[in-house]
Amino acid sequence: DIQMTQSPSSLSASIGDRVAIACRASQTIGNSLNWYQQKPGKAPKLLIYGASKLQSGVPSRFSGGGSGTDFTLSISSLEPEDFATYYCQQSYNFPLTFGGGTKVEIK
Amino acid sequence: EVQVVESGGRLVQPGGSLRLSCATSGLTVSTNHMSWVRQVPGKGLEWVSLIYSGGATSQADYVKGRFTISRHTSNNTVDLQMHSLRPEDTAVYYCAAVAAAAGVRFIFDPWGPGTLVTVSS
């Protein structure tokens, strides 16, 4: 199975800060990496697919990068609605696996 | 607009069975892959099972032999039949449409609001 490791597991940031979340795969997955945002009590929402493609309707302050085993989700300037938990997911092969999540909290 | 909504979650005793259902609109289950993902309260996301548009299925090892995913083209729904339930199966179960784009497969979008399954005596 491909293990997905996210770091950090949590971070505190202020409105307007730039943040970056890392996701590492235990083996190469090309660009088969997707990012989701989840708010408390809600379902996850797709943000980025194919490592760097912004899902329709997602603000441009979100961006993704990387390939192979190392990936990054960046938020250029945090807005109040961005405080949530973020998950990466590999769609390279089965079983499909997720990272453990990164909780972004208000400082 | 594509929407999915789960139903069927409830309290069930260990060893019991339960059937979850996923109602869809804006898509056709005979031409869309569909999947179930679960989340233990307070924990991360865990893929459970997937049904391809052609009807073939794939599931996580920890549910093989216990859970079965199926679809009903007549009413555009996807089910998850669960047997031999264990306390560790307690989770919110999400149904998700599975998309492909930019050469990437198995993108979960959109997700339903989830249904809670509690396995306890």
Side-chain angles (χ1 to χ4, degrees), chain B residues 84-97:
Chain B
S84 303
L85 282 162
R86 307 164 179 167
E88 55 265 36
D89 294 319
T90 294
V92 174
Y93 284 74
Y94 294 103
C95 175

Side-chain angles (χ1 to χ4, degrees), chain B residues 5-90:
Chain B
V5 179
E6 309 87 344
S7 61
R10 60 173 175 85
L11 174 65
V12 60
Q13 291 195 334
S17 298
L18 193 62
R19 189 175 194 94
L20 305 182
S21 188
C22 173
T24 73
S25 61
L27 63 81
T28 304
V29 298
S30 59
T31 58
N32 247 84
H33 308 334
M34 299 293 295
S35 192
W36 289 91
V37 176
R38 71 183 186 182
Q39 184 172 37
V40 173
K43 302 297 184 182
L45 300 167
E46 188 174 45
W47 172 72
V48 176
S49 188
L50 181 145
I51 186 163
Y52 289 90
S53 57
T57 65
S58 182
Q59 43 275 323
D61 283 347
Y62 62 86
V63 301
K64 279 182 180 175
R66 298 192 302 128
F67 293 8
T68 302
I69 190 171
S70 62
R71 64 181 185 177
H72 305 280
T73 56
S74 57
N75 59 2
N76 231 17
T77 59
V78 176
D79 288 353
L80 185 67
Q81 177 67 55
M82 304 185 291
H83 296 293
S84 303
L85 282 162
R86 307 164 179 167
E88 55 265 36
D89 294 319
T90 294

Side-chain angles (χ1 to χ4, degrees), chain A residues 31-34 36 38 42-46 49-50 53 55 87 89 91-92 94-96 98-100, chain B residues 37 39 43-47 50 52 58 60-61 94 101-109 111-113:
Chain A
N31 69 336
S32 297
L33 191 285
N34 311 309
Y36 303 87
Q38 186 178 35
K42 300 294 186 182
K45 171 189 168 185
L46 176 67
Y49 62 93
K53 304 292 191 294
Q55 172 68 347
Y87 294 93
Q89 174 240 333
S91 54
Y92 186 75
F94 287 95
L96 305 173
F98 293 86
Chain B
V37 176
Q39 184 172 37
K43 302 297 184 182
L45 300 167
E46 188 174 45
W47 172 72
L50 181 145
Y52 289 90
S58 182
D61 283 347
Y94 294 103
V104 176
R105 303 174 301 166
F106 312 124
I107 303 164
F108 299 119
D109 181 60
W111 301 56

